[in-house]
Amino acid sequence: GRILITPTANHPIADGHISFGFSMRQGSVTNANVSLGGSPLKERERYGFEAGYVSPKWRLQGEYLWGNDLDAAGTTTLERKGYYITAGHHLREAVEILLRYEGFTPDSTLPTVHRTTLGLAYEVSKNVGWYLGYESVSGSTTLTAAPSVGSGIRFRTTVRF
């Protein structure tokens, strides 16, 4: 579950609002998309703490995550952790430029993967948004120490229900 605390509009801070949140998930979920030695991982624990500040012109938010996974045989535990920080500035009412820096460590014995993103978000309507961004990735993106570096362009459409 996730708990997010945001002050009401009647208590602004520098024309904006600060929010804090905590998330956690416990239990065993098999993730067939990620494997270790050919066996699917069992996601066991996830925890996260987030904080943010949003005003009509600016956004600053970040999160720190940590957790443990277990291989299907139950013999190898992976200690995962990650973080991100995002800064944004509204150029116009529906247009926001975003800069994001994030890191993810797939296990405490492996190096951290870093991704830097520069993007542009456009709110088409109250329920639809578009995002276009350039991403640069460096570090190990697998469960081995093999380095990988890459970059690319990402486009996303968001539909809110």
Side-chain angles (χ1 to χ4, degrees):
R2 179 177 288 265
I3 297 172
L4 185 63
I5 300 170
T6 303
T8 64
N10 297 332
H11 297 84
I13 298 171
D15 199 29
H17 294 91
I18 294 175
S19 62
F20 297 97
F22 179 76
S23 61
M24 69 179 247
R25 184 184 78 205
Q26 293 183 325
S28 183
V29 177
T30 300
N31 186 344
N33 295 319
V34 181
S35 65
L36 179 65
S39 301
L41 286 177
K42 291 203 181 279
E43 297 180 352
R44 297 182 350 182
E45 303 174 338
R46 292 286 187 277
Y47 304 97
F49 177 76
E50 67 179 272
Y53 171 78
V54 177
S55 77
K57 282 294 218 180
W58 297 96
R59 168 203 316 244
L60 182 63
Q61 65 188 62
E63 185 171 15
Y64 180 76
L65 306 162
W66 66 98
N68 295 305
D69 290 340
L70 195 63
D71 69 349
T75 58
T76 304
T77 298
L78 300 173
E79 298 175 16
R80 300 180 180 275
K81 61 184 175 178
Y83 60 88
Y84 78 85
I85 187 163
T86 300
H89 177 65
H90 283 278
L91 302 173
R92 294 186 179 174
E93 185 176 332
V95 180
E96 184 178 20
I97 188 167
L98 298 162
L99 178 63
R100 179 179 173 118
Y101 183 76
E102 58 190 286
F104 175 70
T105 304
D107 186 41
S108 59
T109 62
L110 297 174
T112 301
V113 178
H114 297 279
R115 178 176 16 205
T116 305
T117 305
L118 178 62
L120 194 63
Y122 175 65
E123 193 169 315
V124 178
S125 69
K126 178 182 173 185
N127 297 325
V128 178
W130 289 337
Y131 170 81
L132 180 65
Y134 173 78
E135 299 181 347
S136 175
V137 178
S138 64
S140 175
T141 58
T142 65
L143 292 176
T144 67
S148 63
V149 176
S151 62
I153 295 175
R154 176 180 295 208
F155 176 78
R156 179 179 67 226
T157 298
T158 303
V159 179
R160 297 174 197 89
F161 294 95

